[in-house]
Amino acid sequence: MEEFKENTQLKVPVHVSIIMDGNGRWAKLRGKERVFGHSNGVESVRACVEAAVENGVRYLSLFAFSEENWGRPAEEVNTLMGLMFKAIANEIEALKKQRVRFRVLGDFSRLDPSLVEAIRAAEASTVPSSGEEPVLDLIVFLSYSGKWDILQAAKRLAADFMSDPSGLEKVTTAEFASRLVTAGIPDPDLIIRTSGESRISNYLLWQAAYSEFLFVDTLWPDFRKNDFRLALEEYSKRDRRYGKVK
Ligand code: FPP
């Protein structure tokens, strides 16, 4: 594996987002059940949180479960939800110590109420005291899809303008974005997808308008600190012009 050069001056992205893919294949390669890949994937989550903190990334978001993932066998869905429960119970103290703010975004109407309760409690417990800034915002997208997000924002917008539809004329992209579940979170600068797949899979469709993409072959359970740092190094080399001329 390529070595990360410790002294390289990095242009650090504010928001790194990861489509964690390849857990099932990782497990299959070892003759194990898919769940084995998912539980090892939690280790990679921990490693990337630490790497994000160490490298000064301010927001780390992770695509943990898509709207489409509800179509997986019930056993796998239950395992993944169970892993979320366990991860919350096991990791929240470590997150607090690192001054990481934990947030979960997605369509909660499909989640088990007891999981929603655990998520809300975990989120509340990592909100910094007033005047304090978290070191990192860790955002987990659960039961999420980009189209769902845009649709729920459109519905909220319509409801807000019910009494005066003529006001819709003046709505800006910023006002629309303030109704997405990611309101207040800067758009991802870098989106990484593991496991050799090169697609966005209904993830942050609106928010990814000017993100840099990095597709790596590494399967998610193998993606650790060094891979995260190498991704930052690759991002550093990108020339972002936002459609303009430099
Ligand atoms: C994709 O691999 C991975 C997922 C659908 C789940 C990701 C979840 C975790 C890593 C664990 C929980 C997360 C947190 C934040 C605690 P895949 O199953 O689609 O792999 P495959 O393409 O090889 O089948």
Side-chain angles (χ1 to χ4, degrees):
M1 185 196 281
E2 197 188 332
E3 269 306 304
F4 174 72
K5 293 173 214 72
E6 208 51 71
N7 293 323
T8 312
Q9 268 292 326
L10 285 182
K11 182 177 71 186
V12 181
V14 173
H15 181 174
V16 175
S17 194
I18 310 181
I19 302 176
M20 310 179 286
D21 199 7
N23 293 350
R25 277 164 283 166
W26 188 89
K28 199 173 171 202
L29 280 170
R30 286 157 180 80
K32 305 263 191 182
E33 298 292 322
R34 296 175 57 79
V35 46
F36 185 64
H38 296 318
S39 51
N40 277 274
V42 177
E43 301 293 321
S44 298
V45 169
R46 190 182 301 126
C48 287
V49 168
E50 286 175 14
V53 169
E54 284 164 17
N55 288 283
V57 170
R58 181 61 186 77
Y59 295 83
L60 174 67
S61 59
L62 305 168
F63 199 11
F65 192 88
S66 70
E67 209 183 9
E68 290 78 9
N69 288 153
W70 286 112
R72 291 192 177 194
E75 195 194 339
E76 183 167 346
V77 171
N78 291 338
T79 299
L80 283 165
M81 294 303 155
L83 271 179
M84 269 309 294
F85 246 124
K86 229 166 92 182
I88 288 174
N90 294 342
E91 308 294 337
I92 222 69
E93 284 310 314
L95 294 180
K96 274 196 229 166
K97 274 201 191 99
Q98 293 175 91
R99 292 208 287 134
V100 174
R101 181 175 176 192
F102 174 73
R103 299 165 73 176
V104 181
L105 301 175
D107 182 1
F108 281 25
S109 70
R110 301 184 74 172
L111 298 180
D112 190 281
S114 60
L115 179 56
V116 175
E117 202 180 306
I119 289 169
R120 292 299 185 217
E123 286 180 328
S125 77
T126 63
V127 172
S129 349
S130 62
E132 269 184 32
E133 172 90 352
V135 167
L136 174 79
D137 273 50
L138 171 64
I139 301 142
V140 173
F141 287 95
L142 189 69
S143 186
Y144 179 86
S145 86
K147 286 189 181 179
W148 165 81
D149 195 2
I150 292 168
L151 185 62
Q152 67 80 31
K155 287 177 183 169
R156 285 167 68 183
L157 190 72
D160 291 347
F161 283 85
M162 197 84 90
S163 59
D164 177 22
S166 67
L168 277 168
E169 238 358 270
K170 293 198 185 74
V171 170
T172 62
T173 51
E175 281 163 347
F176 188 87
S178 74
R179 286 156 175 98
L180 294 167
V181 293
T182 50
I185 298 169
D187 288 344
D189 300 292
L190 172 65
I191 298 182
I192 304 166
R193 182 171 188 150
T194 58
S195 89
E197 309 289 358
S198 311
R199 53 177 174 266
I200 193 163
S201 297
N202 204 359
Y203 188 37
L204 298 168
L205 299 181
W206 174 286
Q207 300 86 340
Y210 268 101
S211 302
E212 294 294 325
F213 282 85
L214 179 62
F215 299 106
V216 297
D217 289 335
T218 314
L219 302 175
W220 177 248
D222 286 331
F223 193 93
R224 297 295 163 97
K225 276 189 182 183
N226 194 50
D227 305 273
F228 191 91
R229 293 193 193 109
L230 285 171
L232 296 189
E233 200 173 86
E234 168 59 31
Y235 173 82
S236 249
K237 295 181 202 151
R238 303 278 177 98
D239 181 19
R240 302 182 78 189
R241 294 186 299 279
Y242 302 93
K244 301 186 179 76
V245 178
K246 265 193 180 163

